[in-house]
Amino acid sequence: MENNIIFSLPNNTQLANELSNKLNIETGSADIREFPDGESYIRIESDVENKNAILICTLNQPDDKILSLMFMAKTIKELGAKKICLVSPYLPYMRQDKRFHPGEALTSSLFAKFISSWVDGLITIDPHLHRIKNLSEIYSIPSLSVLHATKKIAEWIHHHIDSPFLIGPDEESAQWIAEIAGYINASFVICKKTRYGDHQVDISIPDIKNMGDNPILIDDIISTGTTMLATLQQVLSRGFKNPIGIGVHALFNNEIENQLLLSGMTKIITCNTIRHPTNKIDITDVIAKGIIEVG
Ligand code: R5P
């Protein structure tokens, strides 16, 4: 792709290099580091004039990354780039989309306004769309591309699990579980979740009969692991086989993974939207197609 240049933010180099090789896009060079006092230093070393710059930066732990990303996007624009497209396979701040308690910040839309003011394109994978049905409700970016990991997850299940049946922990998971189930002709159920706090949820699971031999719990995000754990406990209490857990975005740490495994999950599999030891499902091709479509 001529006239494009890919820059990687720290820790995104592997994905940036793979995309740049697959799409034959020039790799941009930038010096991104911290001054001794913790402030960000950014220097764009490649020529960006009249080019479309693609910035690869998945935004887990967003508060640590967002300032350097903004400095970089603004500087590249000042140096004459035509357009800036942010590729953030994990898009954060999508869950606080409502004031659950008086006085809370509506961080979904505040974050969206912030990003919308400095990029011309955004490519992401399965953002947490729930009360907000479409990213364009909060992001005012000319090119918005929402891609899905569902086909890749379905392929992984098809190649690794006989007679699967899929379980979604809450109503918003229905959108991607139904799609995955459709690809592989599997049965699925959607549970009802009530959240009482960051570490407290209640899951009620509908009746499951003759749906398949191997339960697979699927969620978009695994963070504290509370949702997966509560769903796992329900599945086991119904006498089903120990399930596999699949998450798109791996926000969890080692301790949570161990807790899930010790509680009866046979394994946990994630997509590489965020680098993590559980990454087994590669979504690089999905992003590459998204970049071609956005142009
Ligand atoms: C929210 O409803 C999402 O779909 C996930 O279920 C949730 O973010 C998982 O978070 P945790 O692992 O902290 O329960």
Side-chain angles (χ1 to χ4, degrees), residues 95 128 170 172 193 195 198 219-227:
R95 286 171 290 173
H128 186 80
D170 48 30
E172 57 266 42
K193 175 166 92 179
R195 187 176 278 282
D198 292 346
D219 207 351
D220 58 339
I221 296 168
I222 308 176
S223 177
T224 63
T226 307
T227 302

Side-chain angles (χ1 to χ4, degrees), residues 247-263:
V248 179
H249 307 293
L251 294 180
F252 57 101
N253 60 24
N254 240 348
E255 204 182 311
I256 288 161
E257 184 181 354
N258 286 339
Q259 194 190 354
L260 285 167
L261 295 174
L262 287 172
S263 305

